[in-house]
Amino acid sequence: MTQMTFARAINSGLRKSLENDPKVVLMGEDIGTLGGVFRVTDGLQKDFGKHRVVDTPLAEAGIMGTAVGLAYRGYRPVVEIQFDGFIYPAFDQIVSQVAKMHYRTQGAVKMPITVRVPFGGGIGSPEHHSESPEAYFTHTSGLRVVSPSSPQDAYTMIQQAISCDDPVLYFEPKRRYHDKGDVDETLEPGSALPLGNARVITDGRDVTLVAYGPLVKTARDAAIAAADEGVSIEVIDLRSLAPVDYAALEASVRKTGRLVITHEAGQSGGLGAELAASITERCFYYLETAPVRVTGFDVPYPYSKLEMHHLPSLDRILDGVDRALGRPNSLSGLEG
Amino acid sequence: MLTDEVGQGGTPAVGPGNSTGHRGGASQNLVQLITPQGERVSHPEYDPWVRDISDEQLGSLYEDMVVIRRIDAEATALQRQGELALWPPLLGQEAAQIGSARTLRDDDFVFPSYRDNGVAYCRGVRPEDLVRAWRGNASAGWDPFTVNVATQQIIIGAQSLHATGYAMGIQNDGADCVAVAYFGDGATSEGDVNEAMVFAASFQAPVVFFCQNNHWAISEPVRLQSHIHLADRASGFGIPSIRVDGNDVLAVMAATRIALDRARRGGGPTFIEAVTYRMGPHTTADDPTRYRDANELEDWAAKDPISRVKSLLDRKGLLTADLEAAVAAKADAVAKELRAGTINMPEPEPLDIFKHVYSTPNSWLDRQQDHYSRYLASFGDPAGANSEEGAR
């Protein structure tokens, strides 16, 4: 076990992938000599050369579209989108090309592309630097969407994403980059929890609380706080946003009868809506109450002095738990 | 010389040609080796690149052009008869497609648009595979790796980036093959094509951008897309360009060979503007009489790429009855194969809809497939399950 930051764990996972497979190529803006704006790719160009770790021109569609061509040629590109809000210029290449190529060619052309997206808020950034665009991609067939929440998962999941023959969007919770944790670098990606599986972070009996990426830590803190009040929360780290490990969610909800979902993205059409609907379909007779969502608001990501109001906090999550439990909460007395 | 030497925005062409564009920048003369009347004209710079084309090969190029025109006509007829949902005709662009595609090596890789059926034909794509997607029986007609041609791209210009990325891979592999992106004049307005040129120039990738300026992007004339010759745009990216008569099969061959040779020798990308004309509609769904002047079509009909090479063969005494008969027989045979292949194409199975979304199983999708297959089974009668009205 080695103590390392989240960012360092991704770096270490990328290094492993570069070592193990000569077809792995990293591409992105500033990822070479600078080591990325968050230093996630620090030192990799120096050790693997400019053809394995490519500083690209500043053009997101260009990065994504050339990655498609490299995949055609048998490479496994790992693309860095510098910030969440910069992914939109690459949107067409991702949803019309990367996602559909395997289907379009009836399996002849694989797109083993990993798209690394530092995402989410909480770091006091200006506009376009704190967004949670995951639902655009979970809505697109052919893409896998994942988000690690701990250094250990960051380390293994990046390697699993790179070795996956499907395109994977790998959403990195940037406000957790500097969090430290134990990482077992001897853990082989093949023997770790598979990429598509959710994980129970804390066992509980009263409420199932589903989170992913940056909010897993907040959700766990909420569970600890709730325990002091005698409420037992089962926190599930979704890990894979598409496809969702419904078996894990169903098992938990059948036990607790209550579901709270939290994410930073706005509520309407968000992943929480999908989880709530799907779990309701699958576990309707087990649910004691309607699923509850604690999410960002349906507003453009606010300027940083207000972002603490937008981001689900420990207290807002606990308020949601109270709603699920029918305990007094901020909406008590409100009809509907 | 073609008659459109006035710039697309009405700007007169300036200065003497810098036809291989080594220095770029200047508006370029149109490279031409066969006049519209079928006269072979010499060009010191380009002649050496087609010196090896024998009489027999010239006849073969003529045959290819006739055959793809026939494929085009047959596919258009099939569409009119309700056998295809749509077809994008290439009528008028035969020289651009045959002249360029016939210069490629097997290990070169082509990234075509939806209109480049002549290119696909040259690479060995079977006639019925050209129409599979237009019939609605598949998203794409062929396995790209069996013919080294990516599937037809519908998003305008997206494939230019794929070609550039593929070329970056070639570079990494130390190979000397080339990636070729085919696109039209409208695509040069798209961000993807411009980003592709940035990447290609930055990395000196072995890619050829083959732009068929057919003068129309559906109903929008090229002057709406550009106020300079499209070839001149390349110099802004640091990419040498050639502006070639796209209705002249030999000139297109020469230009493409120059570009391929440069790429193979590590000289980086080249942009070719093949100046041609789409004589038919954008697709069988539009009506060009609504947006363009009949006189324009007439002008271009006089520069027809097939009659031009036919006249050349005639001048050389090569247009024998035997050749004509052989070419006609070949065109008939391919058209027959296309028709039979289209009409007899097996229908896809309902559950094929779920295949190949992912390369590995997906529990989400498996569940949907399971549910839908139960739904289909509930009809008992497979024919009823396929009916839109259903059995109820």
Side-chain angles (χ1 to χ4, degrees):
Chain A
M1 288 285 182
T2 316
Q3 270 269 318
M4 64 174 79
T5 63
F6 201 110
R8 195 73 209 167
I10 302 171
N11 180 282
S12 179
L14 290 169
R15 178 175 290 279
K16 269 269 164 32
S17 294
L18 284 161
E19 280 167 2
N20 292 342
D21 186 349
K23 291 296 186 187
V24 172
V25 176
L26 272 50
M27 307 167 67
E29 298 160 11
D30 305 307
I31 68 166
T33 45
L34 180 68
V37 292
F38 293 104
R39 308 294 182 267
V40 171
T41 53
D42 194 23
L44 297 177
Q45 189 182 67
K46 186 172 142 284
D47 295 342
F48 293 93
K50 289 186 172 178
H51 291 288
R52 301 290 307 282
V53 181
V54 184
D55 265 328
T56 64
L58 279 81
E60 285 76 12
I63 298 169
M64 199 62 62
T66 51
V68 171
L70 279 159
Y72 250 106
R73 183 75 191 170
Y75 284 84
R76 305 186 87 86
V78 184
V79 164
E80 178 179 301
I81 296 296
Q82 200 162 69
F83 281 95
D84 34 55
F86 305 170
I87 201 167
Y88 307 116
F91 193 72
D92 171 66
Q93 286 288 343
I94 297 173
V95 303
S96 297
Q97 309 298 333
V98 174
K100 292 179 183 150
M101 201 65 81
H102 192 260
Y103 192 71
R104 180 179 298 147
T105 61
Q106 295 171 53
V109 182
K110 297 204 183 326
M111 286 284 123
I113 298 173
T114 301
V115 186
R116 293 184 37 241
V117 191
F119 89 118
I123 63 166
S125 285
E127 213 181 356
H128 314 300
H129 290 69
S130 303
E131 303 191 8
S132 298
E134 59 272 20
Y136 296 113
F137 304 103
T138 59
H139 190 63
T140 299
S141 303
L143 299 176
R144 290 179 181 271
V145 183
V146 303
S147 185
S149 69
S150 70
Q152 180 69 64
D153 265 357
Y155 172 75
T156 47
M157 284 169 72
I158 189 67
Q159 295 177 73
Q160 291 169 326
I162 293 169
S163 60
C164 179
D165 276 343
D166 293 322
V168 180
L169 278 103
Y170 181 89
F171 279 96
E172 301 171 4
K174 68 172 93 76
R175 68 168 138 143
R176 305 299 180 205
Y177 272 147
H178 302 296
D179 290 3
K180 282 190 175 167
D182 282 331
V183 176
D184 177 3
E185 287 176 283
T186 64
L187 182 62
E188 288 299 324
S191 54
L193 186 65
L195 193 62
N197 286 45
R199 174 187 279 125
V200 175
I201 297 283
T202 58
D203 286 314
R205 61 174 188 277
D206 298 330
V207 182
T208 298
L209 172 59
V210 180
Y212 55 86
L215 287 183
V216 172
K217 180 177 185 297
T218 318
R220 194 179 48 216
D221 292 346
I224 293 165
D228 291 342
E229 299 174 22
V231 175
S232 169
I233 298 180
E234 179 146 299
V235 177
I236 294 186
D237 177 2
L238 201 57
R239 295 173 82 250
S240 178
L241 284 47
V244 167
D245 181 0
Y246 280 112
L249 299 193
E250 284 174 51
S252 179
V253 169
R254 286 191 175 135
K255 184 173 64 171
T256 63
R258 297 171 200 275
L259 175 63
V260 176
I261 304 147
T262 186
H263 56 59
E264 292 188 7
Q267 190 165 89
S268 298
L271 186 57
E274 179 58 40
L275 297 178
S278 290
I279 289 299
T280 303
E281 282 175 359
R282 293 164 193 239
C283 305
F284 183 69
Y285 293 107
Y286 294 87
L287 284 167
E288 302 287 343
T289 184
V292 169
R293 287 173 287 168
V294 181
T295 68
F297 302 113
D298 289 338
V299 299
Y301 194 85
Y303 33 96
S304 60
K305 289 280 169 63
L306 288 180
E307 66 179 339
M308 78 289 263
H309 294 288
H310 177 74
L311 297 169
S313 60
L314 184 150
D315 286 330
R316 269 181 69 199
I317 290 172
L318 287 177
D319 188 63
V321 168
D322 286 340
R323 278 155 61 200
L325 285 166
R327 289 163 40 125
N329 64 79
S330 64
L331 302 183
S332 293
L334 196 69
E335 289 297 319
Chain B
M1 203 59 64
L2 285 189
T3 53
D4 80 329
E5 274 310 293
V6 170
Q8 282 133 7
T11 315
V14 289
N18 171 23
S19 52
T20 52
H22 293 297
R23 290 174 297 279
S27 200
Q28 300 159 3
N29 287 331
L30 208 53
V31 177
Q32 192 176 69
L33 301 179
I34 311 173
T35 68
Q37 292 72 39
E39 199 182 343
R40 179 73 169 84
V41 288
S42 67
H43 191 302
E45 212 173 331
Y46 285 79
D47 280 343
W49 292 94
V50 287
R51 194 161 282 149
D52 62 308
I53 299 298
S54 63
D55 288 348
E56 196 186 329
Q57 285 169 307
L58 197 62
S60 165
L61 292 169
Y62 169 65
E63 178 195 287
D64 282 343
M65 291 162 69
V66 170
V67 170
I68 67 164
R69 180 167 290 188
R70 183 60 180 276
I71 288 174
D72 210 49
E74 195 70 18
T76 302
L78 283 164
Q79 193 280 330
R80 297 303 186 214
Q81 291 158 5
E83 299 292 345
L84 303 179
L86 193 72
W87 177 255
L90 58 74
L91 183 67
Q93 298 178 223
E94 294 86 353
Q97 295 196 15
I98 298 299
S100 57
R102 282 291 178 220
T103 64
L104 304 178
R105 257 178 15 201
D106 284 350
D107 62 343
D108 294 329
F109 207 102
V110 170
F111 289 85
S113 81
Y114 48 80
R115 201 185 301 286
D116 300 308
N117 296 296
V119 176
Y121 167 75
C122 290
R123 305 292 284 172
V125 172
R126 295 182 308 167
E128 70 263 33
D129 286 348
L130 293 173
V131 299
R132 198 173 296 279
W134 304 110
R135 189 168 168 81
N137 285 44
S139 301
W142 59 84
D143 174 344
F145 299 115
T146 60
V147 283
N148 278 1
V149 183
T151 56
Q152 295 150 317
Q153 178 61 251
I154 306 266
I155 299 290
I156 303 298
Q159 74 278 16
S160 60
L161 280 166
H162 306 168
T164 303
Y166 191 95
M168 288 160 65
I170 291 172
Q171 219 169 15
N172 277 4
D173 295 343
D176 75 340
C177 51
V178 179
V180 185
Y182 283 86
F183 50 86
D185 44 300
T188 62
S189 298
E190 289 278 4
D192 280 3
V193 171
N194 288 273
E195 293 188 25
M197 289 201 275
V198 170
F199 274 64
S202 295
F203 298 114
Q204 287 295 290
V207 57
V208 175
F209 297 112
F210 194 90
C211 173
Q212 289 166 80
N213 175 1
N214 72 12
H215 284 78
W216 290 92
I218 305 190
S219 69
E220 300 193 340
V222 67
R223 66 178 172 273
L224 189 66
Q225 315 278 343
S226 182
H227 274 250
I228 59 168
H229 289 321
L230 299 178
D232 286 346
R233 287 189 166 177
S235 67
F237 296 94
I239 296 177
S241 65
I242 303 172
R243 191 161 185 268
V244 64
D245 182 341
N247 284 9
D248 172 347
V249 72
L250 281 186
V252 171
M253 278 196 112
T256 312
R257 282 175 163 181
I258 288 168
L260 291 169
D261 179 64
R262 175 182 292 147
R264 292 194 208 291
R265 288 188 292 105
T270 303
F271 183 101
I272 296 172
E273 178 189 359
V275 180
T276 179
Y277 193 75
R278 185 193 86 212
M279 296 174 76
H282 163 67
T283 68
T284 45
D286 73 322
D287 172 10
T289 63
R290 291 175 74 114
Y291 54 79
R292 70 183 179 191
D293 193 331
N295 294 329
E296 186 181 290
L297 183 61
E298 213 173 290
D299 287 349
W300 279 93
K303 302 172 204 160
D304 186 283
I306 295 184
S307 56
R308 185 180 308 199
V309 76
K310 192 175 175 182
S311 303
L312 176 62
L313 286 167
D314 198 19
R315 279 168 193 267
K316 289 165 89 87
L318 300 168
L319 193 69
T320 60
D322 281 355
L323 177 69
E324 291 262 62
V327 167
K330 171 82 178 187
D332 285 348
V334 173
K336 202 173 160 189
E337 195 187 339
L338 171 61
R339 176 165 288 271
T342 303
I343 289 166
N344 299 322
M345 200 174 284
E347 291 291 308
E349 294 298 320
L351 294 183
D352 285 355
I353 196 171
F354 295 105
K355 282 188 183 162
H356 307 300
V357 179
Y358 294 90
S359 62
T360 40
N362 174 330
S363 59
W364 246 355
L365 204 54
D366 289 349
R367 188 173 192 260
Q368 290 181 12
Q369 176 169 345
D370 180 50
H371 288 189
Y372 190 59
S373 97
R374 282 162 190 265
Y375 168 78
L376 290 180
S378 72
F379 290 92
D381 166 22
N386 260 332
S387 157
E388 269 186 37
E389 283 83 39
R392 289 175 205 199

